[in-house]
Amino acid sequence: MTIPLEEFDDSDDSVLRPRPIAVDGGFPDTAVLCFFREAIEELREQGRLVQIGKFSDEIGGAGIFATPDHRVAVFHPGVGGPLSAHCLEQAIASGVRSVLAIGGAGALAEEFSRDDVIVVESAVRDEGTSFHYLPPGRRVDFDPNEVQRIVRALGEHGISARVGVTWTTDADFRETRARVERRRAEGCAAVEMEAASLAAVCQFRGVRFAHVLYSGDALHGESWSERAWTMSSRRSQLLEAAIAPRMQ
């Protein structure tokens, strides 16, 4: 039996196509997809980001921001593969050619300690969106040159990072103990909900992409540990680094 996700079609003749978003001053060709709303708001209040537009209300109406020199766009793409890919597609249609995503992840490996940072080198495709952009496969591999460039750039910004493998899932409330152990055995340090999807979109569209994750909650112990991950200072630190010229 073949399931629909295995019916890959590499043609680019979609009936519904992404449309450019009208923003003030035009859409920058570099975008930071930031999953930390409070960090975006903090920089906006400081005048270091200005709102240039927004996504439609039908998909949440998230604001689209840019650095004052209009060099980098910043926006929260929404949680999960489908929504984040939808917003990314619109940004690419608007002229974005280089993308850096920064987000938090659940730790699967003990050595991925709270606030540690990895640059994703590969993502297990336990979601659906990537299968509409790439042939069926277990993983999506990231550009190793881009991965190493981001590791170096983070180091120059005072953030120690290493490369790692993540598990992208569509169902955070179905991360069962057995599945967690299988992903751990497979070498996954982290679990999140967007990396494989976003990487697949960028590969299909020919756009440069990297994904940075910091270690938030933990799933490797006897029970889930929240570790107050949404209060981490890493969030603002990563956004500061992501919009710096050396990261572009």
Side-chain angles (χ1 to χ4, degrees):
M1 181 182 67
T2 299
I3 63 173
L5 287 181
E6 296 178 296
E7 299 171 354
F8 179 63
D9 183 349
D10 64 358
S11 65
D12 190 18
D13 63 349
S14 302
V15 177
L16 177 65
R17 302 187 66 82
R19 296 179 180 178
I21 303 171
V23 298
D24 296 338
F27 217 108
D29 63 6
T30 297
V32 171
L33 278 55
C34 176
F35 289 87
F36 319 132
R37 292 188 189 277
E38 81 291 344
I40 295 174
E41 179 60 21
E42 181 179 357
L43 289 191
R44 187 198 66 78
E45 290 177 350
Q46 295 172 4
R48 298 171 62 192
L49 289 175
V50 294
Q51 186 163 355
I52 59 173
K54 59 175 288 189
F55 291 98
S56 69
D57 291 338
E58 286 77 12
I59 59 170
I64 300 169
F65 303 85
T67 51
D69 59 6
H70 227 75
R71 182 176 45 84
V72 181
V74 178
F75 60 87
H76 191 310
V79 173
L83 179 54
S84 62
H86 183 106
C87 292
L88 175 57
E89 280 274 39
Q90 288 191 283
I92 293 171
S94 303
V96 167
R97 305 306 301 165
S98 179
V99 177
L100 175 63
I102 54 173
L108 299 183
E110 289 87 345
E111 59 269 23
F112 189 34
S113 303
R114 186 179 186 274
D115 286 348
D116 281 358
V117 176
I118 62 171
V119 181
V120 178
E121 62 176 342
S122 181
V124 174
R125 300 166 63 186
D126 193 13
E127 39 71 68
T129 302
S130 68
F131 290 84
H132 297 275
Y133 291 88
L134 297 176
R138 187 164 188 83
R139 295 190 184 194
V140 55
D141 294 322
F142 290 51
D143 180 347
N145 293 325
E146 185 67 1
V147 169
Q148 290 300 326
R149 187 184 74 83
I150 296 299
V151 169
R152 291 192 297 271
L154 286 170
E156 293 171 6
H157 205 79
I159 301 173
S160 176
R162 61 181 185 272
V163 301
V165 179
T166 188
W167 165 30
T168 305
T169 178
D170 277 338
D172 52 345
F173 292 132
R174 290 296 298 151
E175 295 165 1
T176 64
R177 294 181 186 279
R179 292 172 76 85
V180 167
E181 290 307 312
R182 285 200 291 269
R183 297 295 86 77
R184 280 164 50 86
E186 195 172 352
C188 293
V191 58
E192 40 62 50
M193 300 182 71
E194 299 87 16
S197 303
L198 297 174
V201 171
C202 287
Q203 289 189 20
F204 184 80
R205 299 297 183 192
V207 171
R208 189 171 71 171
F209 178 70
H211 202 129
V212 177
L213 299 168
Y214 82 93
S215 179
D217 56 323
L219 290 83
H220 51 70
E222 290 292 322
S223 60
W224 173 67
S225 178
E226 184 178 10
R227 301 199 297 194
W229 74 280
T230 59
M231 305 299 292
S232 173
S233 61
R234 271 288 189 233
R235 299 158 75 91
S236 57
Q237 187 183 29
L238 284 175
L239 180 53
E240 294 257 6
I243 64 173
R246 70 188 72 179
M247 292 291 284
Q248 312 312 319

